[in-house]
Amino acid sequence: DALAAEEKSWKRQIRLLETEIRKMGDENMVLRKKLGQGDYDKATTKVLHFSANPLTTAARNKKKKEAERMKLKIQTLEAKLAIFEDAMAGKTANDPNAVTSARIRAEKIEAVQQKKREMDSEIAKWRGEAERMRRDASEGSKRLNRLKEVFKRKVSEFREACYRMTGYKIELIDGDKYRLRPMYAPTQDDDIIIHFHQGQLSVLATDFVSRLDKSVSQLLTEFHSVPAFLGQITLDLFTQTTIAK
C-alpha cells in the first residue's frame, strides 16, 4: 500500500545518505593523506608543511558541514519513518486517515528541521559579521594609533620649527596662557607669559619682563605691538649673547 511504499522509499534514502557519508569520509582520509605525505620525490623536493594550512582547513570545514547536513537529513527521515512504522504497527489503525495524519506529522517535523537549519545559517552569518566587525575595529584602532603617532610627531616638528623661526619656545599653560622662553635668554627662568583672550593679547608680569629696558616696554604701553615687543627682546638678547662676545 501507499504507507509501505513510502517507508521503503525513505529507508532507501537513508541508506544512500549513509553511503554518501562513508564515501565522503573515505575521500577526506585520502585527501588528508595526500596533503600530509604529498606525491613528490623526497630526494629532490623539500616540502614545508604549514601548521594551519588554509586549504586543508577550508576543505575539512566544508566536508564537516556537508556531513552534518546529511546527518540532519537522516535524522529527519528516521523520524518520518518512525511515524509511519507506528501507523503500520496499528497505533493509528483506527484512524481512516492514518497515512494522511502521519504525513502531516512528518511534514511538521521537516518544517521544524528546516527552521533549525535556517536559524543555524542565520547565526553563522551573524557570527561571521561580528568577526568582520571585530577585525574592522582592530584595523581602525591600529590606524588611529598610527594617526596619533603622526600627529604627535608633526606637532613636535611644528613646535621646533616655530622655535627656530621666531626664537621662542612656546608652551601652552593654564588653558589660554602661553609661556615663551627666548632662545637667547641667559637662563631657562627668563620667560614671558602672554594671555590670549577673545582675540586680544596681553603680556603678564614676570621677573624677566620687569627687568626689560623701558624702551622695550614702550612698544607695549605706547604702540601696543606684541610682535615688535618680542622682536626687540630677541634682537637685544642676540646682541648681548652673540655680538657682544
Side-chain angles (χ1 to χ4, degrees):
D1 55 4
L3 199 60
E6 193 143 4
E7 178 189 17
K8 185 177 180 181
S9 173
W10 284 347
K11 284 183 176 180
R12 184 171 61 254
Q13 290 185 51
I14 290 173
R15 287 195 298 272
L16 289 174
L17 286 170
E18 289 175 341
T19 301
E20 184 66 20
I21 289 176
R22 285 194 298 272
K23 182 180 177 183
M24 288 173 61
D26 294 340
E27 290 178 355
N28 189 34
M29 290 297 295
V30 172
L31 288 172
R32 291 180 65 181
K33 185 176 180 181
K34 287 184 177 181
L35 287 171
Q37 297 178 354
D39 299 328
Y40 61 91
D41 186 353
K42 294 183 179 180
T44 60
T45 305
K46 182 178 180 180
V47 176
L48 299 177
H49 297 282
F50 291 100
S51 59
N53 191 309
L55 293 176
T56 303
T57 302
R60 184 163 56 249
N61 290 340
K62 183 178 180 182
K63 291 286 185 180
K64 183 179 179 182
K65 288 181 180 179
E66 185 66 18
E68 289 175 353
R69 186 185 66 80
M70 288 190 173
K71 285 180 181 179
L72 184 61
K73 191 170 183 179
I74 287 175
Q75 291 172 359
T76 302
L77 290 173
E78 287 176 341
K80 290 181 179 180
L81 184 59
I83 293 172
F84 276 88
E85 286 177 344
D86 288 346
M88 293 181 69
K91 293 183 180 179
T92 57
N94 297 326
D95 185 357
N97 298 315
V99 175
T100 302
S101 298
R103 181 178 289 107
I104 291 173
R105 290 172 61 191
E107 288 174 352
K108 288 181 178 180
I109 291 175
E110 174 65 21
V112 171
Q113 296 287 357
Q114 179 62 29
K115 188 66 176 177
K116 182 179 181 301
R117 287 194 293 271
E118 291 174 357
M119 290 177 64
D120 289 344
S121 176
E122 192 69 15
I123 289 172
K125 184 182 75 173
W126 283 109
R127 281 178 177 171
E129 184 66 16
E131 179 62 21
R132 184 189 65 78
M133 292 175 67
R134 187 192 66 78
R135 290 195 302 269
D136 289 347
S138 178
E139 288 298 321
S141 178
K142 291 178 182 178
R143 286 195 294 269
L144 180 60
N145 288 334
R146 287 196 293 269
L147 287 174
K148 286 181 178 179
E149 290 298 323
V150 171
F151 180 75
K152 183 179 179 181
R153 186 174 67 252
K154 289 299 181 182
V155 168
S156 179
E157 291 176 358
F158 176 76
R159 293 179 63 185
E160 183 64 20
C162 288
Y163 176 61
R164 293 180 179 276
M165 288 187 290
T166 66
Y168 289 95
K169 183 173 290 185
I170 305 172
E171 300 174 6
L172 175 63
I173 58 172
D174 197 22
D176 55 0
K177 296 182 179 66
Y178 296 85
R179 174 181 284 117
L180 282 67
R181 298 183 186 276
M183 178 184 292
Y184 302 107
T187 68
Q188 288 292 320
D189 294 332
D190 294 337
D191 61 358
I192 304 165
I193 296 179
I194 296 179
H195 184 209
F196 183 67
H197 182 66
Q198 296 183 349
Q200 299 296 320
L201 293 173
S202 57
V203 178
L204 305 183
T206 64
D207 290 340
F208 175 73
V209 171
S210 64
R211 296 197 306 269
L212 294 174
D213 188 80
K214 185 178 179 181
S215 61
V216 177
S217 299
Q218 284 178 340
L219 294 171
L220 285 176
T221 57
E222 296 184 15
F223 299 100
H224 309 289
S225 176
V226 173
F229 171 74
L230 296 175
Q232 189 61 52
I233 292 174
T234 299
L235 185 59
D236 288 349
L237 290 175
F238 177 77
T239 301
Q240 294 171 17
T241 60
T242 307
I243 297 178
K245 292 181 180 180

